[in-house]
């Protein structure tokens, strides 16, 4: 049993204030695409946002940060607090290529190894905002936030994190673009063009 989590916080400054969740990609918004894909894997899906009214029509649970203004780590903490299940698949709202196959690899790695988290490493870069997390270390996460230690990497350093190399995804023929995110209008122009062709 898995809870899917879309982290839809952030102020979208580099996108000119436009909410990245609602950018169109391949005929649907990014959030619609993420919800559709996550529902294939997850028994429930949660959207974490401080603009709840914008997400009220999607038929899923929408929650706000318990530690407002403290970034993605606070979003993960809110998901830990609200999720019905112990295992969470977490993705940032600006990732149009979320992959059920990539998530399944991470889920299998996390559960088989009894790890606290499974995180992809693509081309040497760690991507903590597309990962699988177990809720058992919620107290560690809350303590970091209370001490204003806000980097997700700091949390990963405190728990048993299993890093899954990009070669594993390649072996399973998973497109490595699943970690791609969109931050600027120029990036969106390129990615949305790819989305229309895919």
């Amino acid at each position: 049993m898995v809870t899917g989590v879309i982290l839809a916080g952030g102020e979208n400054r580099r996108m000119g204030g436009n909410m990245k969740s609602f950018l169109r990609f391949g005929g649907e918004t990014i959030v619609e695409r993420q919800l559709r894909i996550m529902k294939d894997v997850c028994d429930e899906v949660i959207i974490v946002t401080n603009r709840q009214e914008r997400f009220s029509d999607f038929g899923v649970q929408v929650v706000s940060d318990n530690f407002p203004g403290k970034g993605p780590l606070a979003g993960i903490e809110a998901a830990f607090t609200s999720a019905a299940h112990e295992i969470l698949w977490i993705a940032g709202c600006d990732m149009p290529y979320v992959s059920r196959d990539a998530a399944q690899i991470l889920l299998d790695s996390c559960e088989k190894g009894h790890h606290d988290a499974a995180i992809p490493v693509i081309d040497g870069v760690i991507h903590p905002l597309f990962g699988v997390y177990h809720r058992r270390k919620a107290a560690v996460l809350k303590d970091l936030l209370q001490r204003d230690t806000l980097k997700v990497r700091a949390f990963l350093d405190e728990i048993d994190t299993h890093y899954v190399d990009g070669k594993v995804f390649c072996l399973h023929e998973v497109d490595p673009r699943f970690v791609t995110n969109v931050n600027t209008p120029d990036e969106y122009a390129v990615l949305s063009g790819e989305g229309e062709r895919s």
Side-chain angles (χ1 to χ4, degrees):
M1 304 289 272
V2 179
T3 294
V5 179
I6 299 171
L7 299 180
E11 298 183 17
N12 304 285
R13 289 192 189 96
R14 288 194 284 170
M15 282 301 300
N18 294 315
M19 293 186 71
K20 291 185 278 188
S21 297
F22 295 100
L23 296 174
R24 297 200 68 78
F25 186 88
E28 58 193 336
T29 64
I30 292 178
V31 68
E32 288 169 340
R33 184 183 181 93
Q34 290 182 323
L35 287 168
R36 174 173 56 79
I37 292 169
M38 278 190 159
K39 286 177 179 178
D40 285 345
V41 176
C42 303
D43 305 284
E44 73 165 349
V45 180
I46 294 172
I47 298 174
V48 182
T49 177
N50 292 318
R51 300 177 70 177
Q52 290 181 300
E53 72 284 353
R54 294 295 306 274
F55 297 89
S56 59
D57 296 331
F58 290 105
V60 299
Q61 185 181 3
V62 182
V63 302
S64 295
D65 293 342
N66 298 313
F67 295 85
K70 295 197 174 183
L73 197 66
I76 296 172
E77 193 277 337
F80 277 19
T81 302
S82 305
H85 306 304
E86 293 297 304
I87 302 292
L88 285 69
W89 167 22
I90 290 176
C93 68
D94 57 359
M95 293 179 153
Y97 294 110
V98 292
S99 163
R100 59 181 67 82
D101 294 331
Q104 194 60 60
I105 289 169
L106 295 172
L107 287 164
D108 291 345
S109 296
C110 190
E111 295 186 89
K112 288 178 181 176
H114 303 287
H115 301 294
D116 299 323
I119 305 297
V121 182
I122 306 297
D123 294 329
V125 179
I126 295 170
H127 293 275
L129 296 187
F130 187 106
V132 168
Y133 293 79
H134 196 288
R135 291 172 60 198
R136 60 177 156 252
K137 295 301 173 115
V140 175
L141 178 48
K142 187 174 182 178
D143 179 63
L144 288 170
L145 287 164
Q146 289 172 335
R147 292 191 281 116
D148 275 337
T149 302
L150 306 183
K151 292 187 181 297
V152 179
R153 286 288 303 275
F155 177 51
L156 297 178
D157 288 344
E158 292 282 333
I159 64 177
D160 174 16
T161 301
H162 177 61
Y163 293 101
V164 181
D165 189 82
K167 293 176 183 177
V168 175
F169 299 101
C170 288
L171 285 172
H172 290 84
E173 299 183 340
V174 173
D175 188 337
R177 292 183 302 173
F178 71 88
V179 295
T180 300
N181 62 343
V182 53
N183 290 306
T184 67
D186 287 345
E187 289 177 359
Y188 173 58
V190 173
L191 291 178
S192 61
E194 292 177 357
E196 294 297 337
R197 292 192 298 271
S198 63

